[in-house]
Amino acid sequence: MRPLFHPAVEDVQPAAILHALSDPTRAAIFARITREGCVEACSAVSALGDRVIPKSSLSSHFKVLREAGLIRCERHGTEMRNHSRILEVEARFPGLLPAIMNAYARSLNDEPPPS
Amino acid sequence: MRPLFHPAVEDVQPAAILHALSDPTRAAIFARITREGCVEACSAVSALGDRVIPKSSLSSHFKVLREAGLIRCERHGTEMRNHSRILEVEARFPGLLPAIMNAYARSLNDEPPPS
DNA sequence: TCCCATAGTTCCGAATTTCGGAACTATGGG
DNA sequence: CCCATAGTTCCGAAATTCGGAACTATGGGA
């Protein structure tokens, strides 16, 4: 397995970032990776509410985030470690990712889960 | 023709905004409406580079922007006037729209059109 | 009033994208 | 060498997007 492709930070496109984060599931995954520094792929499953996300869907979510330049993925043994590229992206597009994550946090506060 | 539906600002969702603006054409339309204050729909066609955007596509782009809460549309006679809701959205999600528009502006500077 | 031009919307089939189960591959440990 | 774990790929079904053609709404004449 050759290392996965990651775009150089100067090739990262706003459209790709917005598309990647326009999916709440991916945004939650990215938020978690950023918050925790490093997250192993499958462990993210159990953490996103109680919804079960199929492995194949998760795999493609990670691929979208990686190709958008939002995360860096490397294999360690049998597991995949995912790191946030937020600092790199922040340098290129100042304020973008914090604003997006704040917006999601805000809207989650506004609408607590329908209990 | 009854007035079009516009979401209240407190119902505006980050996912919808990111999805709407993840399309460069829509982002350009929104940027133009915001910059100029008010733009009539079809006049936006000629302004987006030299690419011809079919009327039906334009119509659905405006619809996506409107339903995401980014613009307000009202009919005046036979034409449609579109206003940016950037101030409302800014109040709810501070920094979000400026950061997105800066990011697009930045990436356009980085890659001038392939002449 | 009727007709026309302008401006947008709707309809609908084709192309593209997303979803997710099942099968497959990679890696490390007995 | 075989197995368990972790992810990826494949592929058909479902959902979205695209855009041409037909349709509708509005206002300005004649």
Side-chain angles (χ1 to χ4, degrees):
Chain A
M1 280 285 83
R2 82 174 54 44
L4 294 166
F5 169 75
H6 292 83
V9 68
E10 62 268 24
D11 293 330
V12 169
Q13 296 301 316
I17 291 179
L18 299 189
H19 171 254
L21 297 181
S22 70
D23 179 309
T25 298
R26 281 194 294 262
I29 292 172
F30 177 68
R32 195 160 126 80
I33 292 173
T34 298
R35 199 180 335 112
E36 304 187 2
C38 173
V39 156
E40 178 264 333
C42 275
S43 76
V45 181
S46 55
L48 296 171
D50 48 4
R51 189 163 74 87
V52 174
I53 303 170
K55 281 203 307 179
S56 60
S57 299
L58 257 189
S59 181
S60 71
H61 283 323
F62 279 97
K63 183 180 182 187
V64 170
L65 291 170
R66 173 172 55 79
E67 294 185 340
L70 289 166
I71 63 176
R72 196 174 289 283
C73 313
E74 41 184 85
R75 189 170 207 121
H76 281 255
T78 175
E79 78 183 16
M80 191 65 81
R81 294 198 192 145
N82 300 285
H83 301 265
S84 177
R85 295 181 68 182
I86 190 170
L87 293 180
E88 291 175 78
V89 175
E90 176 67 16
R92 178 158 157 76
F93 302 124
L96 181 61
L97 297 182
I100 291 173
M101 297 173 70
N102 282 339
Y104 270 111
R106 165 96 197 240
S107 78
L108 290 178
N109 285 347
D110 287 0
E111 299 177 11
S115 60
Chain B
M1 277 286 84
R2 83 175 55 44
L4 294 166
F5 170 76
H6 293 83
V9 68
E10 62 268 24
D11 293 329
V12 169
Q13 296 301 318
I17 290 179
L18 299 189
H19 171 255
L21 298 181
S22 69
D23 179 309
T25 298
R26 280 194 295 262
I29 292 173
F30 177 68
R32 194 159 126 79
I33 292 174
T34 298
R35 198 180 335 112
E36 304 187 2
C38 173
V39 156
E40 177 264 332
C42 274
S43 76
V45 181
S46 56
L48 296 172
D50 48 4
R51 189 162 75 87
V52 174
I53 304 170
K55 281 202 306 180
S56 60
S57 299
L58 259 188
S59 181
S60 71
H61 284 324
F62 280 97
K63 183 180 183 187
V64 170
L65 291 170
R66 173 172 55 78
E67 294 184 341
L70 289 166
I71 64 177
R72 196 174 290 283
C73 313
E74 41 184 86
R75 186 167 210 122
H76 280 257
T78 176
E79 76 184 18
M80 193 65 82
R81 294 200 191 142
N82 300 286
H83 301 265
S84 177
R85 296 182 70 182
I86 189 169
L87 293 180
E88 291 175 78
V89 176
E90 175 67 15
R92 177 159 158 77
F93 302 124
L96 181 61
L97 297 181
I100 291 174
M101 297 174 72
N102 282 339
Y104 269 112
R106 166 95 197 241
S107 78
L108 290 178
N109 285 346
D110 288 358
E111 300 177 8
S115 59

